Amino acid sequence: MLHFRVEGMSRRLSTPDVLELEQRSLTRNYNPLPVVAAKAKGAWVWDVEGKKYLDCLAAYSAVNFGHSNPTLIRAAKRQLGRVTLTSRAFHHDKLGLFAKELADLLSMDMVLPMNSGAEAVESAIKVARAWGYRVKGVQANKATIVVAKDNFHGRTISIVSFSSDESSRKDFGPFTPGFTQVDYGDIEALEKAITDNTVAVLLEPIQGEAGIITPPKGYLKAVRALTKKKNVLMIADEIQSGLGRTGATVQCQNEKVVPDMFILGKALGGGIVPVSAVVGKADVMGVLKPGQHGSTFGGNPLAAAVGLAVVRMLAKGDMQKRSERLGKHLHKRLKKLVGKGVLAVRGVGLWAGIDIDPKLATGREVCEALMAKGVLAKDTHGSTIRLAPPIVVSKKDLDWGIDQLENVLRELSAK
Ligand SMILES: *Cc1c(COP(=O)(O)O)cnc(C)c1O
């Protein structure tokens, strides 16, 4: 029996209460750390018991600009009092501005607004296929898209169809055809995989879920040159790498590469509402005609108002500079941990994948120990932990967080 009344909220739920409720009624498609957030501000999260944690995950980079960012909350509140949903059957006064300023931010022409990241990825795939048939002249239903092994692009059937992660795929078939996998970072393999039917190459500029895997120097540039030569679109999934995380507006800018389409999500909604988008050149995005694609909530007034505030924040450039500056400091300190329980550190900007020596502990065990010390981080692929604090984190708080990681590693080594 549950010993509290949920409906009347007769008392504040404790951590064990919430875990019990979830155990009983929530699908177990996640395995969260046992921390129950009740409040968050900037880079800090408070649990239901009032304990404070430094957020070093930032909701997988969806909270790049900090929890409860005052500028973004103000934009959302103002819009809540005006109009929140019209559907795309009518126009509203925020979407055009959002699209124009987002396209300008990335020196692109057109924006296709969606909600979740996976939806934006699906949308980019549809645009690429339609472009393949209508512009490139690929024979009907023959289009292929080349993707990288160990990719993460979301959870829909079509997207898991081209995942190489067994747990993402097992028992979810039959799968969508039309995708070819190659090793990430291998330009020769990519060249071999491209055929006359290839319409696009879809890549993460840095593979986030795979463990913050950065490709070899010059790889993205080579992909751009190759795709241009072969009349194939280059699609950059910047859902996690984009919007300030790597010290640039998008990671492609750090690599001086301009793809045909950017896919954005996560931080585009400022941690307030789901906002995603495909952003591209008119000759590609223009293939879509009325009735051929859509979303009831995509580009809704609340999403557009928050997205616009995010775009205007990024247009100033301060977030990117801050991420670059703090990122340098973060990586300088993390490098010193190599050999002290850490095998390798990767990443750019305020984004780090840290391979923990498996002899010492699993990534999960390190995250649990960090949580006990007041730092929230997430493991991936067994022994890697990732750090991606909100960009608004202060240098002092960031240093404190790294101190806690050092303490955890030292304590584990002493065992
Ligand atoms: C998170 C993520 C997605 C999926 O976004 P959702 O909003 O969870 O659907 C797609 N691509 C990348 C690179 C991501 O990190």
Side-chain angles (χ1 to χ4, degrees), residues 116-175:
S116 69
E119 259 184 308
V121 172
E122 290 271 354
S123 303
I125 291 169
K126 286 173 79 174
V127 170
R129 284 181 170 181
W131 174 86
Y133 301 127
R134 294 170 192 173
V135 179
K136 183 170 175 172
V138 172
Q139 201 190 325
N141 297 318
K142 296 282 190 216
T144 63
I145 293 177
V146 184
V147 299
K149 282 193 191 125
D150 298 326
N151 67 70
F152 183 84
H153 296 287
R155 300 293 197 166
T156 63
I157 293 287
S158 288
I159 292 171
V160 300
S161 294
F162 57 85
S163 168
S164 52
D165 174 29
E166 251 321 282
S167 59
S168 300
R169 291 165 53 88
K170 195 178 178 310
D171 296 332
F172 297 133
F175 296 114

Short mmCIF file of all heavy atoms in Angstrom, two decimals, residues 116-175:
data_model
loop_
_atom_site.label_atom_id
_atom_site.label_comp_id
_atom_site.label_asym_id
_atom_site.label_seq_id
_atom_site.Cartn_x
_atom_site.Cartn_y
_atom_site.Cartn_z
N SER A 116 10.48 17.26 -30.95
CA SER A 116 11.58 16.47 -30.39
C SER A 116 12.72 16.38 -31.39
O SER A 116 12.54 16.63 -32.59
CB SER A 116 11.09 15.07 -30.05
OG SER A 116 10.82 14.36 -31.24
N GLY A 117 13.87 15.98 -30.88
CA GLY A 117 15.02 15.78 -31.75
C GLY A 117 14.76 14.70 -32.79
O GLY A 117 15.06 14.88 -33.97
N ALA A 118 14.21 13.58 -32.34
CA ALA A 118 13.96 12.46 -33.26
C ALA A 118 13.06 12.90 -34.41
O ALA A 118 13.28 12.53 -35.57
CB ALA A 118 13.34 11.29 -32.50
N GLU A 119 12.07 13.71 -34.10
CA GLU A 119 11.17 14.21 -35.15
C GLU A 119 11.92 15.06 -36.17
O GLU A 119 11.61 15.01 -37.36
CB GLU A 119 10.12 15.14 -34.51
CG GLU A 119 8.79 14.55 -34.27
CD GLU A 119 7.89 15.65 -33.73
OE1 GLU A 119 8.27 16.32 -32.76
OE2 GLU A 119 6.82 15.83 -34.30
N ALA A 120 12.86 15.85 -35.69
CA ALA A 120 13.63 16.69 -36.61
C ALA A 120 14.53 15.81 -37.48
O ALA A 120 14.70 16.08 -38.67
CB ALA A 120 14.44 17.73 -35.85
N VAL A 121 15.10 14.74 -36.89
CA VAL A 121 15.92 13.82 -37.66
C VAL A 121 15.06 13.15 -38.74
O VAL A 121 15.43 13.09 -39.92
CB VAL A 121 16.58 12.76 -36.75
CG1 VAL A 121 17.28 11.69 -37.58
CG2 VAL A 121 17.57 13.42 -35.79
N GLU A 122 13.89 12.67 -38.35
CA GLU A 122 12.96 12.06 -39.31
C GLU A 122 12.62 13.06 -40.42
O GLU A 122 12.54 12.68 -41.60
CB GLU A 122 11.64 11.66 -38.60
CG GLU A 122 11.79 10.50 -37.64
CD GLU A 122 11.58 9.15 -38.32
OE1 GLU A 122 11.22 9.11 -39.52
OE2 GLU A 122 11.80 8.13 -37.65
N SER A 123 12.43 14.30 -40.04
CA SER A 123 12.07 15.33 -41.02
C SER A 123 13.21 15.56 -42.01
O SER A 123 12.97 15.69 -43.22
CB SER A 123 11.73 16.64 -40.31
OG SER A 123 10.69 16.44 -39.38
N ALA A 124 14.44 15.59 -41.50
CA ALA A 124 15.60 15.78 -42.38
C ALA A 124 15.73 14.61 -43.35
O ALA A 124 16.08 14.80 -44.52
CB ALA A 124 16.87 15.95 -41.54
N ILE A 125 15.43 13.41 -42.86
CA ILE A 125 15.49 12.23 -43.73
C ILE A 125 14.44 12.35 -44.85
O ILE A 125 14.72 12.07 -46.01
CB ILE A 125 15.27 10.94 -42.90
CG1 ILE A 125 16.48 10.70 -41.98
CG2 ILE A 125 15.01 9.74 -43.80
CD1 ILE A 125 16.25 9.62 -40.93
N LYS A 126 13.26 12.81 -44.49
CA LYS A 126 12.21 12.99 -45.50
C LYS A 126 12.61 14.04 -46.53
O LYS A 126 12.43 13.84 -47.73
CB LYS A 126 10.87 13.35 -44.83
CG LYS A 126 10.23 12.15 -44.13
CD LYS A 126 9.00 12.53 -43.33
CE LYS A 126 7.76 12.73 -44.18
NZ LYS A 126 6.56 12.97 -43.33
N VAL A 127 13.15 15.16 -46.06
CA VAL A 127 13.59 16.21 -46.98
C VAL A 127 14.67 15.66 -47.91
O VAL A 127 14.63 15.86 -49.13
CB VAL A 127 14.12 17.45 -46.21
CG1 VAL A 127 14.79 18.44 -47.16
CG2 VAL A 127 12.98 18.14 -45.45
N ALA A 128 15.64 14.93 -47.32
CA ALA A 128 16.75 14.40 -48.13
C ALA A 128 16.24 13.41 -49.19
O ALA A 128 16.68 13.45 -50.34
CB ALA A 128 17.77 13.71 -47.23
N ARG A 129 15.31 12.56 -48.79
CA ARG A 129 14.78 11.60 -49.77
C ARG A 129 14.01 12.33 -50.87
O ARG A 129 14.20 12.04 -52.06
CB ARG A 129 13.87 10.58 -49.06
CG ARG A 129 14.67 9.53 -48.28
CD ARG A 129 13.74 8.54 -47.61
NE ARG A 129 14.46 7.40 -47.05
CZ ARG A 129 13.88 6.38 -46.43
NH1 ARG A 129 12.56 6.36 -46.27
NH2 ARG A 129 14.59 5.38 -45.95
N ALA A 130 13.16 13.28 -50.48
CA ALA A 130 12.38 14.03 -51.48
C ALA A 130 13.33 14.78 -52.42
O ALA A 130 13.12 14.81 -53.64
CB ALA A 130 11.42 14.99 -50.79
N TRP A 131 14.40 15.36 -51.85
CA TRP A 131 15.41 16.04 -52.68
C TRP A 131 16.04 15.04 -53.65
O TRP A 131 16.24 15.33 -54.84
CB TRP A 131 16.47 16.68 -51.78
CG TRP A 131 17.62 17.28 -52.53
CD1 TRP A 131 17.69 18.54 -53.05
CD2 TRP A 131 18.85 16.63 -52.88
NE1 TRP A 131 18.89 18.72 -53.68
CE2 TRP A 131 19.62 17.57 -53.59
CE3 TRP A 131 19.37 15.35 -52.65
CZ2 TRP A 131 20.89 17.26 -54.09
CZ3 TRP A 131 20.63 15.05 -53.14
CH2 TRP A 131 21.39 15.99 -53.85
N GLY A 132 16.32 13.85 -53.16
CA GLY A 132 16.95 12.81 -53.99
C GLY A 132 16.09 12.47 -55.21
O GLY A 132 16.60 12.37 -56.32
N TYR A 133 14.80 12.32 -54.99
CA TYR A 133 13.91 11.94 -56.10
C TYR A 133 13.60 13.13 -57.00
O TYR A 133 13.56 13.00 -58.22
CB TYR A 133 12.60 11.35 -55.56
CG TYR A 133 12.84 10.12 -54.69
CD1 TYR A 133 12.33 10.03 -53.41
CD2 TYR A 133 13.61 9.06 -55.19
CE1 TYR A 133 12.58 8.92 -52.62
CE2 TYR A 133 13.86 7.94 -54.40
CZ TYR A 133 13.35 7.88 -53.11
OH TYR A 133 13.60 6.78 -52.35
N ARG A 134 13.38 14.31 -56.37
CA ARG A 134 12.88 15.44 -57.16
C ARG A 134 13.99 16.28 -57.78
O ARG A 134 13.78 16.91 -58.80
CB ARG A 134 12.02 16.34 -56.26
CG ARG A 134 10.76 15.61 -55.80
CD ARG A 134 10.01 16.40 -54.73
NE ARG A 134 8.99 15.55 -54.12
CZ ARG A 134 8.26 15.90 -53.07
NH1 ARG A 134 8.44 17.10 -52.52
NH2 ARG A 134 7.36 15.09 -52.57
N VAL A 135 15.14 16.31 -57.14
CA VAL A 135 16.22 17.16 -57.65
C VAL A 135 17.35 16.31 -58.25
O VAL A 135 17.74 16.48 -59.39
CB VAL A 135 16.77 18.11 -56.56
CG1 VAL A 135 17.92 18.96 -57.11
CG2 VAL A 135 15.65 19.00 -56.01
N LYS A 136 17.83 15.36 -57.47
CA LYS A 136 18.97 14.56 -57.96
C LYS A 136 18.54 13.56 -59.03
O LYS A 136 19.33 13.20 -59.89
CB LYS A 136 19.62 13.83 -56.77
CG LYS A 136 20.85 13.03 -57.15
CD LYS A 136 21.64 12.50 -55.98
CE LYS A 136 22.78 11.62 -56.48
NZ LYS A 136 23.70 11.24 -55.41
N GLY A 137 17.27 13.12 -58.95
CA GLY A 137 16.77 12.20 -59.97
C GLY A 137 16.99 10.73 -59.65
O GLY A 137 17.12 9.89 -60.55
N VAL A 138 17.03 10.40 -58.36
CA VAL A 138 17.16 8.99 -57.96
C VAL A 138 15.85 8.27 -58.29
O VAL A 138 14.76 8.83 -58.15
CB VAL A 138 17.48 8.91 -56.44
CG1 VAL A 138 17.43 7.47 -55.93
CG2 VAL A 138 18.86 9.52 -56.16
N GLN A 139 15.98 7.01 -58.71
CA GLN A 139 14.81 6.20 -59.06
C GLN A 139 13.93 5.98 -57.82
O GLN A 139 14.45 5.79 -56.72
CB GLN A 139 15.33 4.86 -59.58
CG GLN A 139 14.36 4.09 -60.44
CD GLN A 139 14.88 2.68 -60.70
OE1 GLN A 139 16.08 2.46 -60.82
NE2 GLN A 139 13.96 1.74 -60.75
N ALA A 140 12.62 5.98 -58.03
CA ALA A 140 11.65 5.90 -56.92
C ALA A 140 11.99 4.79 -55.92
O ALA A 140 12.30 3.66 -56.32
CB ALA A 140 10.24 5.69 -57.47
N ASN A 141 11.95 5.12 -54.65
CA ASN A 141 12.15 4.17 -53.54
C ASN A 141 13.53 3.51 -53.48
O ASN A 141 13.69 2.46 -52.85
CB ASN A 141 11.07 3.08 -53.55
CG ASN A 141 9.69 3.66 -53.34
OD1 ASN A 141 9.51 4.56 -52.48
ND2 ASN A 141 8.71 3.21 -54.10
N LYS A 142 14.50 4.13 -54.13
CA LYS A 142 15.86 3.54 -54.11
C LYS A 142 16.84 4.36 -53.28
O LYS A 142 18.01 4.00 -53.17
CB LYS A 142 16.42 3.46 -55.56
CG LYS A 142 15.65 2.53 -56.47
CD LYS A 142 16.02 1.09 -56.21
CE LYS A 142 15.43 0.18 -57.29
NZ LYS A 142 15.00 -1.11 -56.71
N ALA A 143 16.39 5.46 -52.73
CA ALA A 143 17.32 6.37 -52.04
C ALA A 143 17.98 5.70 -50.84
O ALA A 143 17.33 4.96 -50.09
CB ALA A 143 16.58 7.62 -51.57
N THR A 144 19.27 5.96 -50.67
CA THR A 144 19.95 5.49 -49.46
C THR A 144 20.62 6.67 -48.76
O THR A 144 20.96 7.67 -49.39
CB THR A 144 21.05 4.44 -49.77
OG1 THR A 144 22.05 5.06 -50.58
CG2 THR A 144 20.50 3.22 -50.47
N ILE A 145 20.75 6.51 -47.47
CA ILE A 145 21.42 7.51 -46.64
C ILE A 145 22.53 6.81 -45.90
O ILE A 145 22.31 5.74 -45.31
CB ILE A 145 20.40 8.19 -45.69
CG1 ILE A 145 19.39 9.01 -46.52
CG2 ILE A 145 21.11 9.06 -44.65
CD1 ILE A 145 18.29 9.67 -45.72
N VAL A 146 23.73 7.39 -45.93
CA VAL A 146 24.86 6.79 -45.23
C VAL A 146 24.96 7.41 -43.84
O VAL A 146 24.88 8.63 -43.68
CB VAL A 146 26.18 6.99 -46.00
CG1 VAL A 146 27.32 6.26 -45.30
CG2 VAL A 146 26.05 6.48 -47.44
N VAL A 147 25.10 6.55 -42.84
CA VAL A 147 25.20 6.98 -41.44
C VAL A 147 26.45 6.37 -40.82
O VAL A 147 27.10 5.53 -41.45
CB VAL A 147 23.96 6.54 -40.62
CG1 VAL A 147 22.69 7.16 -41.19
CG2 VAL A 147 23.85 5.02 -40.57
N ALA A 148 26.77 6.78 -39.60
CA ALA A 148 27.97 6.27 -38.94
C ALA A 148 27.61 5.20 -37.92
O ALA A 148 26.54 5.25 -37.32
CB ALA A 148 28.71 7.41 -38.25
N LYS A 149 28.52 4.25 -37.75
CA LYS A 149 28.35 3.29 -36.64
C LYS A 149 28.40 4.04 -35.31
O LYS A 149 29.02 5.09 -35.22
CB LYS A 149 29.47 2.25 -36.68
CG LYS A 149 29.22 1.21 -37.74
CD LYS A 149 30.14 0.00 -37.61
CE LYS A 149 30.02 -0.84 -38.86
NZ LYS A 149 31.29 -1.09 -39.52
N ASP A 150 27.75 3.48 -34.33
CA ASP A 150 27.70 4.06 -32.98
C ASP A 150 27.01 5.43 -32.95
O ASP A 150 27.22 6.21 -32.03
CB ASP A 150 29.11 4.19 -32.35
CG ASP A 150 29.78 2.84 -32.20
OD1 ASP A 150 29.06 1.86 -31.93
OD2 ASP A 150 31.00 2.76 -32.37
N ASN A 151 26.19 5.68 -33.97
CA ASN A 151 25.45 6.94 -33.98
C ASN A 151 24.36 6.95 -32.91
O ASN A 151 23.94 5.90 -32.43
CB ASN A 151 24.79 7.14 -35.36
CG ASN A 151 23.68 6.12 -35.62
OD1 ASN A 151 22.62 6.17 -34.99
ND2 ASN A 151 23.92 5.18 -36.54
N PHE A 152 23.94 8.14 -32.56
CA PHE A 152 22.67 8.28 -31.83
C PHE A 152 21.88 9.42 -32.45
O PHE A 152 22.32 10.56 -32.42
CB PHE A 152 22.87 8.53 -30.32
CG PHE A 152 21.54 8.59 -29.61
CD1 PHE A 152 20.91 7.42 -29.19
CD2 PHE A 152 20.88 9.81 -29.43
CE1 PHE A 152 19.65 7.47 -28.59
CE2 PHE A 152 19.62 9.85 -28.83
CZ PHE A 152 19.01 8.68 -28.40
N HIS A 153 20.70 9.08 -32.99
CA HIS A 153 19.88 10.11 -33.61
C HIS A 153 18.45 10.10 -33.07
O HIS A 153 17.60 10.82 -33.58
CB HIS A 153 19.85 9.94 -35.13
CG HIS A 153 21.19 10.11 -35.80
ND1 HIS A 153 21.79 11.35 -35.95
CD2 HIS A 153 22.06 9.21 -36.32
CE1 HIS A 153 22.96 11.19 -36.57
NE2 HIS A 153 23.15 9.90 -36.79
N GLY A 154 18.17 9.24 -32.07
CA GLY A 154 16.82 9.21 -31.51
C GLY A 154 16.27 7.80 -31.43
O GLY A 154 17.03 6.83 -31.59
N ARG A 155 14.97 7.69 -31.21
CA ARG A 155 14.39 6.41 -30.80
C ARG A 155 13.24 5.92 -31.66
O ARG A 155 12.58 4.95 -31.28
CB ARG A 155 13.89 6.56 -29.36
CG ARG A 155 14.97 6.91 -28.35
CD ARG A 155 15.94 5.78 -28.19
NE ARG A 155 16.73 5.94 -26.97
CZ ARG A 155 17.45 4.95 -26.45
NH1 ARG A 155 17.49 3.77 -27.04
NH2 ARG A 155 18.15 5.15 -25.36
N THR A 156 12.92 6.59 -32.75
CA THR A 156 11.80 6.12 -33.58
C THR A 156 12.22 4.86 -34.33
O THR A 156 13.41 4.53 -34.41
CB THR A 156 11.40 7.19 -34.61
OG1 THR A 156 12.50 7.40 -35.47
CG2 THR A 156 10.99 8.49 -33.93
N ILE A 157 11.24 4.20 -34.92
CA ILE A 157 11.54 2.96 -35.65
C ILE A 157 12.56 3.20 -36.77
O ILE A 157 13.53 2.46 -36.89
CB ILE A 157 10.24 2.36 -36.26
CG1 ILE A 157 9.30 1.87 -35.13
CG2 ILE A 157 10.56 1.22 -37.23
CD1 ILE A 157 9.73 0.61 -34.43
N SER A 158 12.34 4.24 -37.56
CA SER A 158 13.29 4.48 -38.67
C SER A 158 14.67 4.80 -38.15
O SER A 158 15.67 4.36 -38.72
CB SER A 158 12.81 5.63 -39.56
OG SER A 158 11.70 5.20 -40.31
N ILE A 159 14.75 5.55 -37.08
CA ILE A 159 16.06 5.94 -36.56
C ILE A 159 16.78 4.75 -35.92
O ILE A 159 17.97 4.55 -36.16
CB ILE A 159 15.93 7.14 -35.59
CG1 ILE A 159 15.50 8.40 -36.37
CG2 ILE A 159 17.23 7.40 -34.86
CD1 ILE A 159 15.13 9.59 -35.50
N VAL A 160 16.07 3.92 -35.15
CA VAL A 160 16.76 2.76 -34.59
C VAL A 160 17.09 1.74 -35.68
O VAL A 160 17.95 0.88 -35.50
CB VAL A 160 16.01 2.09 -33.40
CG1 VAL A 160 15.82 3.08 -32.27
CG2 VAL A 160 14.70 1.44 -33.82
N SER A 161 16.42 1.87 -36.82
CA SER A 161 16.73 0.98 -37.95
C SER A 161 18.18 1.14 -38.39
O SER A 161 18.77 0.22 -38.93
CB SER A 161 15.82 1.29 -39.15
OG SER A 161 14.49 0.98 -38.84
N PHE A 162 18.76 2.32 -38.19
CA PHE A 162 20.16 2.51 -38.59
C PHE A 162 21.07 2.75 -37.39
O PHE A 162 22.15 3.32 -37.49
CB PHE A 162 20.31 3.60 -39.67
CG PHE A 162 19.77 4.96 -39.33
CD1 PHE A 162 20.55 5.87 -38.64
CD2 PHE A 162 18.50 5.33 -39.74
CE1 PHE A 162 20.07 7.14 -38.35
CE2 PHE A 162 18.01 6.61 -39.46
CZ PHE A 162 18.79 7.52 -38.77
N SER A 163 20.65 2.25 -36.23
CA SER A 163 21.51 2.28 -35.05
C SER A 163 22.35 1.01 -35.02
O SER A 163 21.95 -0.01 -35.57
CB SER A 163 20.62 2.35 -33.80
OG SER A 163 21.39 2.11 -32.64
N SER A 164 23.54 1.10 -34.41
CA SER A 164 24.32 -0.14 -34.26
C SER A 164 24.29 -0.62 -32.82
O SER A 164 25.01 -1.54 -32.44
CB SER A 164 25.77 0.09 -34.74
OG SER A 164 26.34 1.22 -34.10
N ASP A 165 23.45 0.01 -32.01
CA ASP A 165 23.36 -0.35 -30.60
C ASP A 165 22.26 -1.39 -30.41
O ASP A 165 21.08 -1.11 -30.63
CB ASP A 165 23.06 0.92 -29.78
CG ASP A 165 22.80 0.62 -28.32
OD1 ASP A 165 23.34 -0.39 -27.81
OD2 ASP A 165 22.04 1.37 -27.69
N GLU A 166 22.66 -2.61 -30.02
CA GLU A 166 21.70 -3.72 -29.94
C GLU A 166 20.52 -3.42 -29.02
O GLU A 166 19.37 -3.73 -29.34
CB GLU A 166 22.42 -5.01 -29.48
CG GLU A 166 22.57 -6.05 -30.56
CD GLU A 166 21.36 -6.20 -31.50
OE1 GLU A 166 20.35 -6.82 -31.09
OE2 GLU A 166 21.42 -5.67 -32.63
N SER A 167 20.78 -2.80 -27.87
CA SER A 167 19.67 -2.59 -26.93
C SER A 167 18.66 -1.57 -27.47
O SER A 167 17.50 -1.57 -27.06
CB SER A 167 20.19 -2.16 -25.55
OG SER A 167 20.94 -0.99 -25.66
N SER A 168 19.08 -0.74 -28.41
CA SER A 168 18.14 0.20 -29.03
C SER A 168 17.26 -0.48 -30.07
O SER A 168 16.24 0.08 -30.47
CB SER A 168 18.91 1.33 -29.74
OG SER A 168 19.71 2.02 -28.83
N ARG A 169 17.70 -1.65 -30.56
CA ARG A 169 17.04 -2.29 -31.71
C ARG A 169 16.30 -3.57 -31.39
O ARG A 169 15.30 -3.89 -32.03
CB ARG A 169 18.09 -2.63 -32.76
CG ARG A 169 18.71 -1.46 -33.46
CD ARG A 169 19.97 -1.87 -34.20
NE ARG A 169 19.75 -3.01 -35.09
CZ ARG A 169 19.36 -2.91 -36.35
NH1 ARG A 169 19.16 -1.74 -36.89
NH2 ARG A 169 19.18 -3.99 -37.09
N LYS A 170 16.83 -4.32 -30.41
CA LYS A 170 16.35 -5.69 -30.20
C LYS A 170 14.84 -5.73 -29.98
O LYS A 170 14.31 -5.02 -29.14
CB LYS A 170 17.07 -6.31 -29.00
CG LYS A 170 16.90 -7.82 -28.95
CD LYS A 170 17.67 -8.41 -27.78
CE LYS A 170 17.50 -9.90 -27.66
NZ LYS A 170 16.14 -10.39 -27.69
N ASP A 171 14.18 -6.55 -30.78
CA ASP A 171 12.73 -6.77 -30.72
C ASP A 171 11.90 -5.60 -31.22
O ASP A 171 10.70 -5.54 -30.96
CB ASP A 171 12.29 -7.15 -29.29
CG ASP A 171 12.89 -8.48 -28.84
OD1 ASP A 171 13.16 -9.33 -29.73
OD2 ASP A 171 13.11 -8.66 -27.63
N PHE A 172 12.53 -4.67 -31.93
CA PHE A 172 11.77 -3.55 -32.49
C PHE A 172 11.62 -3.63 -34.03
O PHE A 172 11.09 -2.72 -34.64
CB PHE A 172 12.38 -2.21 -32.09
CG PHE A 172 12.38 -1.96 -30.60
CD1 PHE A 172 13.51 -1.50 -29.93
CD2 PHE A 172 11.23 -2.21 -29.84
CE1 PHE A 172 13.51 -1.27 -28.56
CE2 PHE A 172 11.22 -1.99 -28.46
CZ PHE A 172 12.36 -1.52 -27.82
N GLY A 173 12.13 -4.70 -34.61
CA GLY A 173 12.01 -4.83 -36.06
C GLY A 173 10.58 -5.15 -36.48
O GLY A 173 9.73 -5.38 -35.60
N PRO A 174 10.19 -5.19 -37.73
CA PRO A 174 11.08 -5.00 -38.88
C PRO A 174 11.51 -3.54 -39.03
O PRO A 174 10.80 -2.64 -38.63
CB PRO A 174 10.22 -5.44 -40.07
CG PRO A 174 8.81 -5.22 -39.63
CD PRO A 174 8.80 -5.46 -38.15
N PHE A 175 12.68 -3.40 -39.62
CA PHE A 175 13.30 -2.08 -39.69
C PHE A 175 13.12 -1.40 -41.05
O PHE A 175 12.85 -2.05 -42.04
CB PHE A 175 14.79 -2.21 -39.36
CG PHE A 175 15.02 -2.69 -37.96
CD1 PHE A 175 15.60 -3.92 -37.71
CD2 PHE A 175 14.63 -1.91 -36.88
CE1 PHE A 175 15.80 -4.36 -36.41
CE2 PHE A 175 14.82 -2.34 -35.58
CZ PHE A 175 15.40 -3.58 -35.35
#
